[in-house]
Short mmCIF file of all heavy atoms in Angstrom, two decimals:
data_model
loop_
_atom_site.label_atom_id
_atom_site.label_comp_id
_atom_site.label_asym_id
_atom_site.label_seq_id
_atom_site.Cartn_x
_atom_site.Cartn_y
_atom_site.Cartn_z
N MET X 9 -1.50 -67.55 37.72
CA MET X 9 -1.46 -68.85 37.11
C MET X 9 -0.22 -68.92 36.22
O MET X 9 0.00 -68.03 35.44
CB MET X 9 -2.73 -69.11 36.24
CG MET X 9 -2.75 -70.41 35.59
SD MET X 9 -4.23 -70.65 34.62
CE MET X 9 -5.53 -70.20 35.68
N SER X 10 0.47 -70.02 36.32
CA SER X 10 1.72 -70.18 35.50
C SER X 10 1.37 -70.54 34.09
O SER X 10 0.29 -70.96 33.77
CB SER X 10 2.65 -71.19 36.21
OG SER X 10 2.11 -72.52 36.00
N GLU X 11 2.35 -70.41 33.22
CA GLU X 11 2.16 -70.78 31.81
C GLU X 11 1.96 -72.23 31.70
O GLU X 11 1.26 -72.74 30.80
CB GLU X 11 3.34 -70.32 30.97
CG GLU X 11 3.39 -68.82 30.85
CD GLU X 11 4.59 -68.39 29.94
OE1 GLU X 11 5.06 -69.17 29.13
OE2 GLU X 11 5.05 -67.31 30.14
N ASP X 12 2.53 -73.01 32.59
CA ASP X 12 2.34 -74.45 32.58
C ASP X 12 0.95 -74.90 32.83
O ASP X 12 0.48 -75.94 32.40
CB ASP X 12 3.28 -75.14 33.65
CG ASP X 12 4.77 -75.02 33.29
OD1 ASP X 12 5.08 -74.74 32.14
OD2 ASP X 12 5.56 -75.16 34.23
N GLU X 13 0.16 -74.10 33.65
CA GLU X 13 -1.17 -74.46 33.98
C GLU X 13 -2.20 -73.96 32.96
O GLU X 13 -3.30 -74.43 32.94
CB GLU X 13 -1.53 -73.78 35.31
CG GLU X 13 -0.78 -74.45 36.50
CD GLU X 13 -1.12 -73.76 37.79
OE1 GLU X 13 -1.47 -72.61 37.83
OE2 GLU X 13 -1.03 -74.49 38.82
N GLU X 14 -1.76 -73.14 32.05
CA GLU X 14 -2.68 -72.56 31.07
C GLU X 14 -3.35 -73.58 30.16
O GLU X 14 -4.55 -73.53 29.94
CB GLU X 14 -2.01 -71.46 30.28
CG GLU X 14 -2.97 -70.69 29.40
CD GLU X 14 -4.07 -69.90 30.15
OE1 GLU X 14 -3.79 -69.53 31.28
OE2 GLU X 14 -5.15 -69.76 29.62
N PRO X 15 -2.56 -74.55 29.64
CA PRO X 15 -3.21 -75.62 28.78
C PRO X 15 -4.21 -76.46 29.51
O PRO X 15 -5.29 -76.73 29.00
CB PRO X 15 -2.05 -76.50 28.33
CG PRO X 15 -0.85 -75.64 28.41
CD PRO X 15 -1.08 -74.71 29.60
N LEU X 16 -3.97 -76.76 30.80
CA LEU X 16 -4.91 -77.48 31.63
C LEU X 16 -6.18 -76.66 31.81
O LEU X 16 -7.32 -77.18 31.72
CB LEU X 16 -4.30 -77.91 32.94
CG LEU X 16 -5.23 -78.58 33.91
CD1 LEU X 16 -5.80 -79.87 33.28
CD2 LEU X 16 -4.51 -78.92 35.18
N ARG X 17 -6.03 -75.38 32.06
CA ARG X 17 -7.18 -74.52 32.32
C ARG X 17 -8.01 -74.45 31.05
O ARG X 17 -9.27 -74.50 31.07
CB ARG X 17 -6.67 -73.08 32.67
CG ARG X 17 -7.81 -72.08 32.96
CD ARG X 17 -7.22 -70.77 33.48
NE ARG X 17 -8.29 -69.92 33.97
CZ ARG X 17 -9.05 -69.22 33.14
NH1 ARG X 17 -8.98 -69.27 31.83
NH2 ARG X 17 -9.98 -68.42 33.62
N GLU X 18 -7.39 -74.36 29.95
CA GLU X 18 -8.09 -74.34 28.61
C GLU X 18 -8.83 -75.61 28.38
O GLU X 18 -9.98 -75.62 27.90
CB GLU X 18 -7.17 -74.04 27.42
CG GLU X 18 -6.59 -72.63 27.42
CD GLU X 18 -7.65 -71.57 27.34
OE1 GLU X 18 -8.62 -71.74 26.55
OE2 GLU X 18 -7.56 -70.55 28.04
N GLN X 19 -8.25 -76.72 28.70
CA GLN X 19 -8.94 -78.04 28.54
C GLN X 19 -10.11 -78.10 29.55
O GLN X 19 -11.15 -78.63 29.12
CB GLN X 19 -7.96 -79.15 28.88
CG GLN X 19 -6.91 -79.38 27.78
CD GLN X 19 -5.90 -80.48 28.17
OE1 GLN X 19 -5.86 -80.89 29.31
NE2 GLN X 19 -5.09 -80.83 27.21
N LEU X 20 -9.99 -77.62 30.72
CA LEU X 20 -11.10 -77.58 31.65
C LEU X 20 -12.25 -76.78 31.19
O LEU X 20 -13.42 -77.11 31.22
CB LEU X 20 -10.62 -77.10 33.03
CG LEU X 20 -9.75 -78.12 33.78
CD1 LEU X 20 -9.19 -77.40 35.07
CD2 LEU X 20 -10.56 -79.30 34.23
N ILE X 21 -11.90 -75.59 30.56
CA ILE X 21 -12.97 -74.70 30.04
C ILE X 21 -13.66 -75.37 28.87
O ILE X 21 -14.91 -75.31 28.76
CB ILE X 21 -12.27 -73.30 29.64
CG1 ILE X 21 -11.94 -72.57 30.87
CG2 ILE X 21 -13.29 -72.52 28.76
CD1 ILE X 21 -11.10 -71.34 30.62
N GLU X 22 -12.89 -75.99 28.01
CA GLU X 22 -13.50 -76.69 26.84
C GLU X 22 -14.43 -77.85 27.30
O GLU X 22 -15.51 -77.99 26.78
CB GLU X 22 -12.45 -77.18 25.94
CG GLU X 22 -11.72 -76.16 25.12
CD GLU X 22 -10.58 -76.69 24.36
OE1 GLU X 22 -10.46 -77.91 24.13
OE2 GLU X 22 -9.77 -75.88 23.92
N ALA X 23 -13.99 -78.60 28.34
CA ALA X 23 -14.74 -79.70 28.90
C ALA X 23 -15.99 -79.13 29.56
O ALA X 23 -17.10 -79.68 29.32
CB ALA X 23 -14.00 -80.51 29.87
N ARG X 24 -15.88 -78.01 30.24
CA ARG X 24 -17.10 -77.40 30.95
C ARG X 24 -18.07 -77.01 29.82
O ARG X 24 -19.31 -77.25 29.97
CB ARG X 24 -16.60 -76.17 31.74
CG ARG X 24 -17.74 -75.51 32.42
CD ARG X 24 -17.41 -74.13 32.89
NE ARG X 24 -17.01 -73.28 31.73
CZ ARG X 24 -16.42 -72.12 31.82
NH1 ARG X 24 -16.08 -71.69 32.99
NH2 ARG X 24 -16.12 -71.40 30.77
N ASP X 25 -17.64 -76.31 28.81
CA ASP X 25 -18.56 -75.86 27.79
C ASP X 25 -19.20 -77.01 27.08
O ASP X 25 -20.40 -76.94 26.79
CB ASP X 25 -17.81 -74.95 26.76
CG ASP X 25 -17.31 -73.67 27.39
OD1 ASP X 25 -17.77 -73.33 28.51
OD2 ASP X 25 -16.40 -73.09 26.75
N ARG X 26 -18.48 -78.10 26.79
CA ARG X 26 -19.09 -79.25 26.10
C ARG X 26 -20.12 -79.90 27.01
O ARG X 26 -21.21 -80.23 26.54
CB ARG X 26 -18.00 -80.28 25.80
CG ARG X 26 -18.46 -81.48 25.07
CD ARG X 26 -17.42 -82.59 24.85
NE ARG X 26 -17.16 -83.27 26.11
CZ ARG X 26 -16.11 -83.16 26.80
NH1 ARG X 26 -15.07 -82.43 26.47
NH2 ARG X 26 -15.97 -83.80 27.94
N LEU X 27 -19.85 -80.02 28.33
CA LEU X 27 -20.86 -80.56 29.20
C LEU X 27 -22.08 -79.74 29.32
O LEU X 27 -23.20 -80.23 29.35
CB LEU X 27 -20.26 -80.76 30.64
CG LEU X 27 -19.26 -81.93 30.77
CD1 LEU X 27 -18.55 -81.87 32.05
CD2 LEU X 27 -19.99 -83.25 30.67
N ARG X 28 -21.91 -78.39 29.35
CA ARG X 28 -23.08 -77.49 29.38
C ARG X 28 -23.93 -77.73 28.16
O ARG X 28 -25.20 -77.75 28.23
CB ARG X 28 -22.64 -76.10 29.52
CG ARG X 28 -22.11 -75.70 30.85
CD ARG X 28 -21.70 -74.29 30.88
NE ARG X 28 -21.33 -73.87 32.28
CZ ARG X 28 -20.70 -72.72 32.55
NH1 ARG X 28 -20.44 -71.87 31.58
NH2 ARG X 28 -20.43 -72.44 33.78
N ARG X 29 -23.30 -77.88 26.94
CA ARG X 29 -24.09 -78.08 25.77
C ARG X 29 -24.83 -79.39 25.82
O ARG X 29 -25.99 -79.53 25.41
CB ARG X 29 -23.19 -77.98 24.53
CG ARG X 29 -22.78 -76.61 24.17
CD ARG X 29 -22.06 -76.53 22.77
NE ARG X 29 -20.83 -77.38 22.76
CZ ARG X 29 -19.64 -76.91 23.11
NH1 ARG X 29 -19.49 -75.71 23.57
NH2 ARG X 29 -18.58 -77.76 23.04
N GLU X 30 -24.13 -80.46 26.28
CA GLU X 30 -24.77 -81.79 26.36
C GLU X 30 -25.94 -81.73 27.31
O GLU X 30 -27.03 -82.27 27.01
CB GLU X 30 -23.76 -82.83 26.81
CG GLU X 30 -22.72 -83.15 25.72
CD GLU X 30 -21.69 -84.13 26.23
OE1 GLU X 30 -21.96 -84.90 27.20
OE2 GLU X 30 -20.59 -84.16 25.68
N LEU X 31 -25.77 -81.08 28.44
CA LEU X 31 -26.83 -80.96 29.42
C LEU X 31 -28.04 -80.16 28.85
O LEU X 31 -29.19 -80.54 29.05
CB LEU X 31 -26.42 -80.32 30.69
CG LEU X 31 -25.72 -81.28 31.64
CD1 LEU X 31 -24.94 -80.47 32.77
CD2 LEU X 31 -26.62 -82.31 32.24
N GLU X 32 -27.74 -79.15 28.11
CA GLU X 32 -28.80 -78.32 27.44
C GLU X 32 -29.66 -79.17 26.56
O GLU X 32 -30.87 -79.07 26.55
CB GLU X 32 -28.17 -77.13 26.70
CG GLU X 32 -29.20 -76.20 26.15
CD GLU X 32 -28.48 -75.00 25.46
OE1 GLU X 32 -27.40 -74.57 25.90
OE2 GLU X 32 -29.05 -74.55 24.42
N VAL X 33 -28.97 -80.00 25.73
CA VAL X 33 -29.70 -80.87 24.84
C VAL X 33 -30.57 -81.90 25.61
O VAL X 33 -31.74 -82.12 25.24
CB VAL X 33 -28.69 -81.63 23.87
CG1 VAL X 33 -29.41 -82.68 23.09
CG2 VAL X 33 -28.06 -80.61 22.91
N LEU X 34 -29.95 -82.48 26.59
CA LEU X 34 -30.68 -83.56 27.33
C LEU X 34 -31.86 -82.95 28.14
O LEU X 34 -32.86 -83.67 28.34
CB LEU X 34 -29.77 -84.26 28.30
CG LEU X 34 -28.76 -85.18 27.67
CD1 LEU X 34 -27.75 -85.68 28.66
CD2 LEU X 34 -29.51 -86.44 27.06
N LEU X 35 -31.68 -81.73 28.58
CA LEU X 35 -32.77 -81.09 29.41
C LEU X 35 -33.83 -80.48 28.56
O LEU X 35 -34.95 -80.23 29.05
CB LEU X 35 -32.19 -80.05 30.37
CG LEU X 35 -31.31 -80.69 31.43
CD1 LEU X 35 -30.53 -79.58 32.20
CD2 LEU X 35 -32.09 -81.59 32.43
N SER X 36 -33.59 -80.27 27.26
CA SER X 36 -34.64 -79.58 26.43
C SER X 36 -35.66 -80.63 26.02
O SER X 36 -35.45 -81.76 25.89
CB SER X 36 -34.01 -79.03 25.17
OG SER X 36 -33.50 -80.04 24.36
N PRO X 37 -36.93 -80.16 25.91
CA PRO X 37 -38.01 -81.08 25.59
C PRO X 37 -37.72 -81.74 24.22
O PRO X 37 -37.33 -81.01 23.27
CB PRO X 37 -39.23 -80.23 25.60
CG PRO X 37 -38.84 -78.85 25.95
CD PRO X 37 -37.37 -78.80 26.06
N SER X 38 -38.03 -82.97 24.08
CA SER X 38 -37.80 -83.65 22.83
C SER X 38 -39.04 -83.34 21.90
O SER X 38 -40.17 -83.35 22.29
CB SER X 38 -37.74 -85.13 23.02
OG SER X 38 -37.75 -85.82 21.84
N THR X 39 -38.71 -83.02 20.66
CA THR X 39 -39.82 -82.77 19.70
C THR X 39 -40.20 -83.90 18.85
O THR X 39 -41.15 -83.93 18.18
CB THR X 39 -39.37 -81.64 18.72
OG1 THR X 39 -38.20 -82.00 18.09
CG2 THR X 39 -39.13 -80.33 19.50
N ILE X 40 -39.41 -85.00 18.97
CA ILE X 40 -39.63 -86.24 18.22
C ILE X 40 -39.97 -87.35 19.18
O ILE X 40 -39.10 -87.77 19.86
CB ILE X 40 -38.51 -86.63 17.30
CG1 ILE X 40 -38.16 -85.48 16.34
CG2 ILE X 40 -38.78 -87.89 16.53
CD1 ILE X 40 -36.91 -85.68 15.52
N GLY X 41 -41.19 -87.82 19.21
CA GLY X 41 -41.56 -88.94 20.10
C GLY X 41 -41.41 -88.53 21.51
O GLY X 41 -41.24 -87.35 21.90
N GLY X 42 -41.41 -89.48 22.43
CA GLY X 42 -41.29 -89.25 23.85
C GLY X 42 -39.79 -89.11 24.19
O GLY X 42 -38.96 -89.75 23.58
N GLY X 43 -39.55 -88.40 25.24
CA GLY X 43 -38.17 -88.22 25.75
C GLY X 43 -37.64 -89.48 26.37
O GLY X 43 -38.43 -90.14 27.05
N ALA X 44 -36.43 -89.84 26.18
CA ALA X 44 -35.85 -90.94 26.84
C ALA X 44 -35.58 -90.65 28.29
O ALA X 44 -35.43 -89.46 28.64
CB ALA X 44 -34.55 -91.34 26.14
N ASP X 45 -35.57 -91.61 29.15
CA ASP X 45 -35.28 -91.45 30.55
C ASP X 45 -33.81 -91.25 30.70
O ASP X 45 -33.05 -92.21 30.72
CB ASP X 45 -35.79 -92.57 31.38
CG ASP X 45 -35.65 -92.32 32.87
OD1 ASP X 45 -35.21 -91.24 33.24
OD2 ASP X 45 -36.01 -93.22 33.64
N SER X 46 -33.36 -90.00 30.82
CA SER X 46 -31.86 -89.68 30.83
C SER X 46 -31.42 -89.26 32.19
O SER X 46 -30.41 -88.59 32.32
CB SER X 46 -31.62 -88.63 29.81
OG SER X 46 -32.00 -89.04 28.50
N ARG X 47 -32.23 -89.51 33.24
CA ARG X 47 -31.96 -88.99 34.53
C ARG X 47 -30.53 -89.40 35.08
O ARG X 47 -29.84 -88.51 35.62
CB ARG X 47 -32.97 -89.40 35.58
CG ARG X 47 -34.24 -88.66 35.37
CD ARG X 47 -35.26 -89.04 36.31
NE ARG X 47 -35.67 -90.42 35.94
CZ ARG X 47 -36.70 -91.11 36.47
NH1 ARG X 47 -37.35 -90.59 37.47
NH2 ARG X 47 -36.96 -92.35 36.09
N SER X 48 -30.13 -90.62 34.86
CA SER X 48 -28.86 -91.03 35.34
C SER X 48 -27.69 -90.37 34.57
O SER X 48 -26.68 -90.01 35.16
CB SER X 48 -28.69 -92.56 35.33
OG SER X 48 -28.79 -93.06 34.01
N VAL X 49 -27.92 -90.25 33.23
CA VAL X 49 -26.91 -89.58 32.40
C VAL X 49 -26.80 -88.11 32.81
O VAL X 49 -25.69 -87.58 32.98
CB VAL X 49 -27.29 -89.68 30.94
CG1 VAL X 49 -26.34 -88.88 30.06
CG2 VAL X 49 -27.25 -91.12 30.48
N ILE X 50 -27.97 -87.45 33.02
CA ILE X 50 -28.01 -86.05 33.43
C ILE X 50 -27.26 -85.89 34.77
O ILE X 50 -26.45 -84.99 34.96
CB ILE X 50 -29.39 -85.47 33.46
CG1 ILE X 50 -29.89 -85.37 32.07
CG2 ILE X 50 -29.47 -84.15 34.19
CD1 ILE X 50 -31.42 -85.08 31.97
N ALA X 51 -27.53 -86.76 35.71
CA ALA X 51 -26.92 -86.67 37.01
C ALA X 51 -25.44 -86.83 36.91
O ALA X 51 -24.69 -86.11 37.63
CB ALA X 51 -27.50 -87.70 37.95
N ALA X 52 -24.98 -87.74 36.10
CA ALA X 52 -23.52 -87.95 35.97
C ALA X 52 -22.81 -86.76 35.33
O ALA X 52 -21.80 -86.27 35.76
CB ALA X 52 -23.27 -89.18 35.13
N LEU X 53 -23.50 -86.14 34.33
CA LEU X 53 -22.95 -84.96 33.68
C LEU X 53 -22.91 -83.75 34.60
O LEU X 53 -21.94 -82.99 34.62
CB LEU X 53 -23.77 -84.65 32.38
CG LEU X 53 -23.61 -85.60 31.24
CD1 LEU X 53 -24.55 -85.20 30.12
CD2 LEU X 53 -22.18 -85.66 30.72
N GLU X 54 -24.01 -83.61 35.45
CA GLU X 54 -24.02 -82.49 36.36
C GLU X 54 -22.94 -82.61 37.43
O GLU X 54 -22.28 -81.68 37.80
CB GLU X 54 -25.42 -82.44 37.06
CG GLU X 54 -26.52 -81.92 36.08
CD GLU X 54 -27.89 -81.93 36.66
OE1 GLU X 54 -28.13 -82.81 37.56
OE2 GLU X 54 -28.72 -81.19 36.21
N THR X 55 -22.65 -83.86 37.85
CA THR X 55 -21.60 -84.11 38.77
C THR X 55 -20.25 -83.75 38.19
O THR X 55 -19.43 -83.08 38.80
CB THR X 55 -21.57 -85.61 39.26
OG1 THR X 55 -22.81 -85.82 39.93
CG2 THR X 55 -20.43 -85.87 40.22
N GLU X 56 -20.04 -84.20 36.96
CA GLU X 56 -18.72 -83.91 36.31
C GLU X 56 -18.66 -82.42 36.07
O GLU X 56 -17.51 -81.91 36.25
CB GLU X 56 -18.73 -84.64 34.97
CG GLU X 56 -17.39 -84.61 34.27
CD GLU X 56 -17.29 -85.41 33.03
OE1 GLU X 56 -18.22 -86.30 32.77
OE2 GLU X 56 -16.33 -85.30 32.30
N LEU X 57 -19.68 -81.75 35.73
CA LEU X 57 -19.66 -80.29 35.52
C LEU X 57 -19.29 -79.56 36.79
O LEU X 57 -18.47 -78.72 36.83
CB LEU X 57 -20.99 -79.81 35.01
CG LEU X 57 -21.12 -78.29 34.75
CD1 LEU X 57 -20.09 -77.82 33.68
CD2 LEU X 57 -22.55 -77.99 34.26
N ARG X 58 -19.86 -79.98 37.98
CA ARG X 58 -19.54 -79.39 39.23
C ARG X 58 -18.06 -79.59 39.55
O ARG X 58 -17.36 -78.69 40.09
CB ARG X 58 -20.37 -79.95 40.36
CG ARG X 58 -21.81 -79.40 40.36
CD ARG X 58 -22.57 -79.71 41.63
NE ARG X 58 -22.69 -81.15 41.85
CZ ARG X 58 -23.69 -81.88 41.31
NH1 ARG X 58 -24.61 -81.34 40.54
NH2 ARG X 58 -23.79 -83.18 41.55
N GLU X 59 -17.50 -80.76 39.29
CA GLU X 59 -16.14 -81.07 39.56
C GLU X 59 -15.18 -80.15 38.71
O GLU X 59 -14.18 -79.64 39.17
CB GLU X 59 -15.82 -82.52 39.30
CG GLU X 59 -16.49 -83.40 40.31
CD GLU X 59 -16.39 -84.94 39.97
OE1 GLU X 59 -15.82 -85.22 38.89
OE2 GLU X 59 -16.84 -85.72 40.79
N ILE X 60 -15.52 -79.98 37.47
CA ILE X 60 -14.73 -79.15 36.57
C ILE X 60 -14.76 -77.68 37.03
O ILE X 60 -13.81 -76.99 37.05
CB ILE X 60 -15.18 -79.29 35.07
CG1 ILE X 60 -14.74 -80.69 34.57
CG2 ILE X 60 -14.61 -78.20 34.23
CD1 ILE X 60 -15.33 -81.05 33.27
N GLU X 61 -16.01 -77.24 37.38
CA GLU X 61 -16.17 -75.84 37.81
C GLU X 61 -15.39 -75.62 39.13
O GLU X 61 -14.72 -74.61 39.26
CB GLU X 61 -17.62 -75.49 37.98
CG GLU X 61 -18.30 -75.33 36.62
CD GLU X 61 -19.84 -75.13 36.71
OE1 GLU X 61 -20.44 -75.57 37.78
OE2 GLU X 61 -20.40 -74.58 35.81
N ALA X 62 -15.38 -76.61 40.00
CA ALA X 62 -14.60 -76.44 41.24
C ALA X 62 -13.10 -76.44 40.90
O ALA X 62 -12.33 -75.62 41.50
CB ALA X 62 -14.92 -77.63 42.15
N ALA X 63 -12.63 -77.27 40.01
CA ALA X 63 -11.22 -77.25 39.59
C ALA X 63 -10.81 -75.89 38.97
O ALA X 63 -9.74 -75.39 39.29
CB ALA X 63 -10.93 -78.38 38.59
N LEU X 64 -11.76 -75.33 38.17
CA LEU X 64 -11.48 -73.99 37.59
C LEU X 64 -11.42 -72.95 38.70
O LEU X 64 -10.52 -72.07 38.67
CB LEU X 64 -12.54 -73.69 36.54
CG LEU X 64 -12.31 -74.32 35.24
CD1 LEU X 64 -13.58 -74.15 34.38
CD2 LEU X 64 -11.10 -73.76 34.45
N ALA X 65 -12.29 -73.02 39.63
CA ALA X 65 -12.31 -72.04 40.72
C ALA X 65 -11.09 -72.10 41.56
O ALA X 65 -10.59 -71.08 41.99
CB ALA X 65 -13.54 -72.25 41.56
N ASN X 66 -10.55 -73.30 41.79
CA ASN X 66 -9.31 -73.45 42.52
C ASN X 66 -8.09 -73.01 41.84
O ASN X 66 -7.09 -72.74 42.52
CB ASN X 66 -9.19 -74.96 42.94
CG ASN X 66 -10.23 -75.35 44.02
OD1 ASN X 66 -10.72 -74.53 44.76
ND2 ASN X 66 -10.55 -76.65 44.00
N ARG X 67 -8.16 -72.91 40.52
CA ARG X 67 -7.04 -72.51 39.72
C ARG X 67 -7.10 -71.01 39.47
O ARG X 67 -6.10 -70.45 39.04
CB ARG X 67 -6.98 -73.21 38.39
CG ARG X 67 -6.81 -74.70 38.49
CD ARG X 67 -6.46 -75.35 37.21
NE ARG X 67 -6.13 -76.70 37.38
CZ ARG X 67 -5.01 -77.12 37.94
NH1 ARG X 67 -4.12 -76.32 38.32
NH2 ARG X 67 -4.77 -78.43 38.04
N GLY X 68 -8.27 -70.38 39.71
CA GLY X 68 -8.57 -69.08 39.33
C GLY X 68 -7.89 -67.87 39.72
O GLY X 68 -7.67 -66.87 39.32
#
């Protein structure tokens, strides 16, 4: 990997980690009241996470 690609790789890793944290929160059981129906948000985040992971694998 060239030095030019390193900042992009770091941004992808940060985005991947942020998405994983967001998914963890959305998938955990809610302790206050009933859980909101977040299926569409979860699906969109999972799709984005797969795309980021694929981009990282291709740069790898």
Side-chain angles (χ1 to χ4, degrees):
M9 180 179 314
S10 72
E11 289 182 27
D12 293 340
E13 292 178 332
E14 190 61 29
L16 177 57
R17 184 175 187 281
E18 291 299 319
Q19 288 176 349
L20 288 170
I21 290 170
E22 288 173 15
R24 179 197 62 194
D25 294 345
R26 186 185 72 250
L27 284 170
R28 285 180 175 169
R29 285 189 299 274
E30 289 177 23
L31 280 168
E32 185 178 325
V33 168
L34 287 171
L35 292 170
S36 66
S38 175
T39 58
I40 302 172
D45 185 2
S46 304
R47 288 178 289 188
S48 62
V49 173
I50 290 169
L53 290 174
E54 288 174 335
T55 298
E56 190 174 347
L57 180 59
R58 283 192 299 276
E59 291 171 356
I60 289 172
E61 289 174 335
L64 282 168
N66 289 334
R67 298 192 172 287

